[in-house]
């Protein structure tokens, strides 16, 4: 009971901060494309696409720390060790940043040079921010993480405001603003985590074996995360490489809307692993199907926002209307990817089956690449690439589910049936009906099916709320 209350409290804290972060995310997703040209927006999204993969340069150190210390209280963390970890990470990222900068400066040309030099300058700051966010999550310091989200949102809104008032602002100016924001935000973490940053620390040489063991521990998770990222973004890589910048801008705008919808889901992901690690094995197994069910209900409930968002984009960002078709196609994939990356992957971590998750994800990545190539060669239109992406996500779900059927004796039929029926309902209402009629019908179908499939879970939640009041 106490664990459930703590989990709910942490979810609430992170969700509130994520609501504020959502406002800033909407500003980026909706205001930036309004004031940048389509070509400039395409270049900016190319930058963000490649920034997605910089986590690889931590070599698994951040992930290893997260796995080893996940579930510990902040006061239990060894100060001398953590001061050593931050030094090792900083020096490693600084060396890699310099290498990328030099290679980009001498061997790249045009916009590619600008984009990759920007990545080199931002890399160290971004990796340190990721490290501190990981420390916040593993030690359940969600207040610190939430305040960080608020600061990030404020600075982001200021940055968006600057783009609004700067005459003839282009993508490079906005990248400068984003990079500057990251370095400013580092100061916040330096203040909050000064006990594990400054002061006497173990030397990197004396902790060499420990650091190597953390890298070995975290590397499978890092690679699994990288493969997961590639599955979720390989279609964008194909579009960025094979189509012109304007087409990539339209395609990326659809995914920007997708990422806005994903904001709330991260609240669950942040607190789930530390909570699961504190549970005993039987309790972890018993809660699996319920966790998937809750995720499906939350995400499919959120999908209802597509309909008013569709109307808003047609009014506010008319030049991106063509992106709505792709957005409509990929949106049910949010339910699938959320179940995998938020629930399933955290369960794989707790079971110490990161290698198994990686192998399955690698199989799906190969399938995704094949499906994307077939879509490009046979059908050519970017719309079919997005369809291939959604199919890949469903295959990933099924393959990842096998572990829980075998090890947990979980019965997935109810969750899979709900997933399929609601996906079909969303496509039918969004493609065949006008926006507002589709909105009404989808909400009606959603409520009926949620109670038909999960009335016990819903009633239990309602009873819990009533008892607390």
């Amino acid at each position: 009971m106490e664990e459930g209350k703590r989990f709910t409290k942490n979810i609430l804290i992170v969700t509130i901060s994520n609501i504020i972060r959502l406002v800033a995310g909407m500003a980026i997703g909706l205001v930036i494309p309004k004031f940048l040209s389509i070509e400039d927006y395409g270049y900016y999204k190319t930058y963000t696409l490649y920034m997605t993969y910089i986590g690889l340069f931590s070599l698994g150190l951040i992930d290893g720390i997260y796995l080893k210390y996940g579930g510990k209280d902040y006061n239990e963390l060894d100060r001398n060790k953590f001061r050593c970890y931050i030094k090792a990470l900083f020096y490693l990222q600084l060396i890699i940043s310099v290498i990328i900068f030099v290679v980009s400066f001498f061997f790249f040309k045009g916009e590619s040079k600008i984009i990759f030099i920007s990545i080199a300058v931002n890399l160290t700051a971004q990796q340190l921010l990721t490290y501190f966010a990981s420390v916040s999550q593993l030690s359940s310091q969600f207040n610190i993480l939430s305040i960080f989200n608020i600061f990030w949102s404020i600075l982001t809104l200021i940055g968006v405001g600057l783009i609004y008032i700067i005459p003839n602002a282009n993508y490079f100016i906005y990248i400068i603003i984003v990079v500057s924001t990251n370095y400013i935000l580092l100061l916040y973490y330096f203040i909050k985590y000064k006990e594990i940053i400054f002061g006497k620390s173990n030397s990197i040489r004396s902790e060499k074996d420990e650091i190597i063991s953390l890298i070995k521990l975290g590397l499978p998770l890092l690679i699994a995360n990288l493969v997961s990222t590639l599955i979720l973004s390989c279609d964008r890589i194909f579009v960025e490489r094979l189509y012109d910048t304007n087409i990539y801008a339209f395609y990326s705008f659809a995914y920007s809307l997708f990422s806005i919808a994903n904001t709330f889901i991260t609240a669950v992901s942040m607190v789930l692993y530390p909570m699961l690690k504190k549970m005993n094995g039987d309790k972890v197994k018993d809660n699996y199907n319920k966790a998937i069910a809750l995720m499906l209900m939350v995400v499919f409930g959120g999908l209802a926002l597509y309909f008013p968002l569709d109307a808003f984009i047609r009014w506010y960002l008319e030049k991106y209307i063509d992106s709505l078709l792709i957005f409509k196609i990929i949106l049910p994939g949010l339910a699938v990817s959320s179940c995998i990356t938020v629930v399933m992957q955290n369960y794989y971590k707790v079971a110490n089956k990161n290698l198994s998750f990686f192998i399955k994800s690698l199989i799906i990545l190969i399938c995704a690449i094949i499906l994307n190539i077939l879509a490009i060669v046979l059908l050519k239109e970017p719309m079919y690439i997005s369809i291939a992406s959604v199919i890949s996500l469903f295959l990933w779900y099924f393959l990842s589910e096998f572990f829980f059927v075998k090890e947990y004796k979980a019965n997935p039929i109810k969750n899979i049936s709900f997933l399929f029926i609601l996906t079909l309902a969303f496509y039918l209402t969004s493609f065949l009906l006008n926006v507002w009629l589709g909105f009404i019908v989808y909400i009606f179908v959603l409520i009926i099916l949620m109670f038909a499939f999960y009335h016990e879970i819903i009633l239990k939640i309602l009873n819990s709320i009533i008892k607390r009041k």
Side-chain angles (χ1 to χ4, degrees), residues 434-467:
N434 68 56
V435 169
W436 297 115
L437 179 59
F439 179 61
I440 294 169
V441 173
Y442 178 77
I443 290 290
F444 177 77
V445 172
L446 174 68
I447 293 171
I448 295 297
L449 290 175
M450 282 174 58
F451 275 95
F453 278 84
Y454 301 123
H455 58 275
E456 292 179 358
I457 295 175
I458 294 171
L459 291 175
K460 191 173 182 179
I461 293 171
L462 292 175
N463 286 333
S464 176
I465 293 171
I466 291 169
K467 286 180 180 178

Side-chain angles (χ1 to χ4, degrees), residues 70-127:
K72 289 187 177 294
D73 291 331
Y74 179 68
N75 292 330
E76 296 177 311
L77 303 180
D78 188 313
R79 297 319 192 231
N80 289 339
K81 283 182 179 288
F82 271 78
R83 289 167 190 157
C84 178
Y85 298 156
I86 188 67
K87 283 197 300 184
L89 181 66
F90 173 74
Y91 292 143
L92 176 63
Q93 301 315 301
L94 189 61
I95 291 168
I96 293 170
S97 295
V98 170
I99 293 171
I100 295 175
F101 185 93
V102 170
V103 171
S104 303
F105 187 83
F106 287 105
F107 297 100
F108 289 6
K109 296 180 180 180
E111 307 303 334
S112 294
K113 175 184 279 192
I114 294 172
I115 289 169
F116 280 95
I117 286 177
S118 300
I119 289 171
V121 173
N122 196 20
L123 188 146
T124 300
Q126 188 63 56
Q127 292 284 63

